[in-house]
Amino acid sequence: MEPGVILQIILITVGGVLLAAVVSSLAKRKMTESFCLTWGLIAIIIILAGILLRPAEWNKYISGMGMLLLLMIGFCIIYGAYFMSGKVSDLIRKNTELAMQVSLLNHEKEELHRRIDELSQKISLEKAHSEKTEEAGGVS
């Protein structure tokens, strides 16, 4: 089998695996939609590159081991970027959840302050009423 055909098969396979991983991450809510869309487009581009590009005589410029080394480096770069995208998505999700919790706590705090103000006004009114009754009772 020709080295160019092997490279095409590798590109199509990597693109397909990446597309499957992206769809799985989207289904499991591991990654946000924007990251999944971007990675899906990258996977489709890699698949199209494997289908449309016809690397001919590239083995004159780079050896088989050199190409293997470049493929491993490319895989590591793609895996690292995908891993970081997953972590950033997780942080975005946690940040959104924390913002909602802070908003709920602020609302609850305002509600408690309002109730405290109502109770303090009620107590001051009762105190004023009891003082008036004592003054009225002491005068008679």
Side-chain angles (χ1 to χ4, degrees), residues 104-120:
L104 288 172
L105 285 173
N106 283 336
H107 180 29
E108 189 175 321
K109 181 187 79 159
E110 290 171 8
E111 183 69 25
L112 288 174
H113 279 301
R114 187 186 58 76
R115 288 180 64 193
I116 288 172
D117 289 342
E118 287 175 0
L119 288 174
S120 63

Side-chain angles (χ1 to χ4, degrees), residues 19-78:
L19 189 60
V22 166
V23 170
S24 172
S25 292
L26 183 61
K28 294 178 182 176
R29 306 288 246 159
K30 287 185 178 180
M31 216 182 294
T32 60
E33 292 83 9
S34 58
F35 279 119
C36 285
L37 180 64
T38 303
W39 278 106
L41 290 174
I42 290 171
I44 290 172
I45 289 171
I46 291 173
I47 292 170
L48 288 175
I51 293 171
L52 300 176
L53 295 179
R54 304 275 184 231
E57 299 183 16
W58 61 271
N59 52 352
K60 288 183 180 178
Y61 303 106
I62 188 167
S63 66
M65 283 298 168
M67 191 60 191
L68 182 64
L69 181 64
L70 285 176
L71 286 173
M72 288 191 314
I73 290 171
F75 173 76
C76 289
I77 289 171
I78 289 173

Side-chain angles (χ1 to χ4, degrees), residues 29-35 84-100:
R29 306 288 246 159
K30 287 185 178 180
M31 216 182 294
T32 60
E33 292 83 9
S34 58
F35 279 119
M84 292 302 293
S85 296
K87 291 299 179 186
V88 169
S89 292
D90 190 35
L91 290 174
I92 288 171
R93 190 175 304 106
K94 286 180 181 179
N95 191 25
T96 304
E97 183 179 327
L98 285 174
M100 287 189 288

